[in-house]
Amino acid sequence: MTTANRTVQFKIYRYDPDRDAKPYMQDISVEIEVTDRKLLDAMVRLKVKDDSLSFRRSCREGVCGSDAMNINGKNGLACLTDMSSFPPGKPIVLRPLPGLPVIRDLVVDMTQFFKQYHSIKPYLVNNDPLPERERLQSPAEREELNGLYECILCACCSTACPSFWWNPDKFVGPAGLLAAYRFIADTRDQATSERLDNLEDPYRLFRCHSIMNCVDVCPKNLNPTKAIGKIKELMLQRAI
Amino acid sequence: MKRIVVGAHYGLKDWLAQRVTAVVMAVFTIFMIAAIAGGAVSSADAWRGFMAHRLVQIVSFLFAVSLFYHAWIGVRDIWMDYVKPPGLRLTLHVLTALALIGYAGWTVQILWRL
């Protein structure tokens, strides 16, 4: 293990709509210390060196989902990406998440993404009177929600999906569909049929052709393709 | 009128049909490979005799129908992804459907003229 500081090269997508006619790639290097284990640590040093660089970050531990970006061609969270995972000697290429409008540098406009998320009614629908304490589930029923509720809405998956690139206004996208299945699978939810009706559409659900880019990039190791498959399975059960 | 409209309430049937037709095509492919390996096309006469079987004609027809239905869903999805103006898209849908129906008729003619 090296103990000395080292210099890391970056190639970063820069675009400030107030000053730049069009986006460009900036070559910049920064000296990092051995304690800078994650990409985000190096980016914080970059920001000190060039404070015009814009990117989102908050919790710095893979919970808030703010620092999603395209790292060497693959979407991921800067705070969960190890500096040791990069091949030495090659610049690290950082771009904003693909397919969404760029506000500035690595900051994208997530409006469309959240619009799709809201369209699946991401909350429990239950019209029964509230019980005195809580709505109970058996451990097996609760188990169904594992792999679904952990989504942090970082948008790595939806912005890696070509179907979402072509139809972001109509296709719900992997993140939204994972959330949709999270409520369809919830035994406390009473709106299963309405939720399936809401998704039965050539665009909203059936633009997914199971290419699994979403599974490939998910920083939480979730599987939206599997959830989408289960939605289709339920629709089929309902129809035959 | 510029409104984003979704909620056509179809898609499941097409998704299912695409899978079922894929299975039909896969089974037919295995059947044909087995027939060829078994010497069904060792000569032009053998091939002609093989294709004259009623069963072979029917499974070949089922294969062709599966292929055209599968192609209809796939090609329509491509138009839906890349062609945005509704008029042009509808025209392409209609032309695709007509072409595939025409091919189906042509297939019948080829299969049963033997």
Side-chain angles (χ1 to χ4, degrees), chain B residues 2-86:
Chain B
K2 263 212 168 295
R3 294 286 307 266
I4 294 161
V5 280
V6 282
H9 291 295
Y10 78 92
L12 177 69
K13 223 173 256 173
D14 293 333
W15 172 77
L16 185 62
Q18 213 166 24
R19 265 126 204 95
V20 173
T21 52
V23 171
V24 172
M25 288 189 285
V27 171
F28 179 81
T29 305
I30 295 165
F31 167 75
M32 279 311 275
I33 290 170
I36 291 166
V41 296
S42 54
S43 68
D45 282 340
W47 197 348
R48 189 176 287 273
F50 174 70
M51 290 308 291
H53 276 282
R54 179 60 50 85
L55 184 71
V56 175
Q57 288 171 338
I58 288 170
V59 293
S60 302
F61 176 67
L62 288 179
F63 165 76
V65 169
S66 296
L67 176 68
F68 298 140
Y69 196 5
H70 197 92
W72 158 243
I73 297 161
V75 174
R76 187 198 58 190
D77 276 2
I78 294 170
W79 298 143
M80 286 168 85
D81 276 340
Y82 297 104
V83 182
K84 301 291 177 186

